[in-house]
Amino acid sequence: EVDYVTQEGHRAGLMQAVVSYANLTSPDVAVTLDRQIQLGPVRGVRQQLHWHTNPTYRFADRPDLMMSEEFQRGLRSLGQRDLHFELQVFVDQLHYAVDLVDEHPEIKFVLLHAGMLEDRTPTGWTTWRRWMSELARRHNVTVKLSGLGTFDHECSVELWRPVISETVEMFGATRCMFGSNFPVESLWTTYGELVNVFAECLEELSPAERRLVWH
């Protein structure tokens, strides 16, 4: 996959970096990472760790997989290669994420989908705010503002702006970045609509802050 993406990216003249997949619990993950780095401009690794009581939303075998010794051994392999880790977990797993980040201050983490706020009840919002604010205190964590319509299948300012505004307020524009989450989001919106809605959600920021989030 890294080889294919790299070749296609160079052919189109659009690709600057690759975030690959690697199973960090694998005993030979270091060999995999070195091979990927040889094939393309790999800058980080994404392994989906999200676990949910709803099996439809479940990818990891258990909610605390990130705390296992096997996973953390693989994570150290990223730090040794100056690669960041893209962290995808649900809100109920964010307390594990805080522990993980504290355990590995030398590694850069990118929290995907603004913490995956799937439960928008008052309790869900309260839990999200609590752990997002904790992660915001860890300066080796940045946030990707992406996947905001995944659970509602909706692309709208009303749905997205509260998450974007609060996340930027907690982390600051220097630690937040736009993400399209395409092609998944194409199931319910177009790329143009997504960009327009995102731009409207950023209108309350200064021009300098908007540029930081976009670029």
Side-chain angles (χ1 to χ4, degrees):
E1 290 178 344
V2 171
D3 188 30
Y4 171 76
V5 169
T6 299
Q7 291 188 42
E8 288 299 295
H10 287 323
R11 183 183 61 80
L14 293 173
M15 189 266 308
Q16 290 83 43
V18 173
V19 174
S20 68
Y21 163 76
N23 180 6
L24 297 189
T25 66
S26 172
D28 60 353
V29 66
V31 176
T32 299
L33 294 174
D34 288 340
R35 177 61 177 152
Q36 290 179 346
I37 291 169
Q38 289 176 354
L39 290 171
V42 174
R43 300 291 181 264
V45 168
R46 175 189 181 192
Q47 181 176 358
Q48 292 171 297
L49 298 175
H50 52 297
W51 186 97
H52 199 280
T53 54
N54 181 347
T56 306
Y57 297 160
R58 188 182 303 164
F59 272 71
D61 295 332
R62 55 191 246 221
D64 63 343
L65 177 63
M66 68 191 86
M67 304 310 298
S68 70
E69 178 52 39
E70 293 83 3
F71 180 85
Q72 296 205 34
R73 182 181 60 242
L75 197 61
R76 288 190 287 272
S77 295
L78 297 188
Q80 293 162 3
R81 290 159 177 80
D82 196 27
L83 300 175
H84 74 259
F85 181 71
E86 303 222 343
L87 182 64
Q88 183 168 334
V89 293
F90 279 109
V91 172
D92 287 341
Q93 297 173 276
L94 287 177
H95 63 100
Y96 293 126
V98 171
D99 291 341
L100 183 71
V101 170
D102 284 345
E103 192 74 21
H104 299 276
E106 78 285 0
I107 294 175
K108 299 171 186 173
F109 292 86
V110 178
L111 181 67
L112 296 185
H113 306 336
M116 292 178 71
L117 179 62
E118 173 263 335
D119 177 9
R120 287 178 174 257
T121 66
T123 300
W125 274 102
T126 298
T127 306
W128 177 80
R129 290 185 180 112
R130 175 188 176 185
W131 294 110
M132 287 291 283
S133 63
E134 283 294 325
L135 283 172
R137 296 188 181 98
R138 279 72 180 171
H139 294 288
N140 57 328
V141 180
T142 58
V143 181
K144 190 176 290 185
L145 301 170
S146 57
L148 302 177
T150 299
F151 302 105
D152 297 274
H153 292 187
E154 181 182 335
C155 178
S156 71
V157 174
E158 293 73 24
L159 186 72
W160 290 18
R161 178 177 276 159
V163 176
I164 292 173
S165 297
E166 291 197 33
T167 302
V168 173
E169 183 178 355
M170 285 186 276
F171 284 83
T174 57
R175 293 165 60 200
C176 293
M177 71 185 89
F178 165 76
S180 71
N181 200 39
F182 255 57
V184 177
E185 302 287 320
S186 66
L187 293 171
W188 46 84
T189 189
T190 66
Y191 198 92
E193 181 185 16
L194 185 149
V195 169
N196 289 337
V197 165
F198 196 89
E200 189 171 344
C201 291
L202 297 183
E203 285 182 348
E204 61 193 31
L205 301 180
S206 69
E209 289 173 322
R210 289 198 296 270
R211 180 171 179 81
L212 285 168
V213 174
W214 282 118
H215 299 281

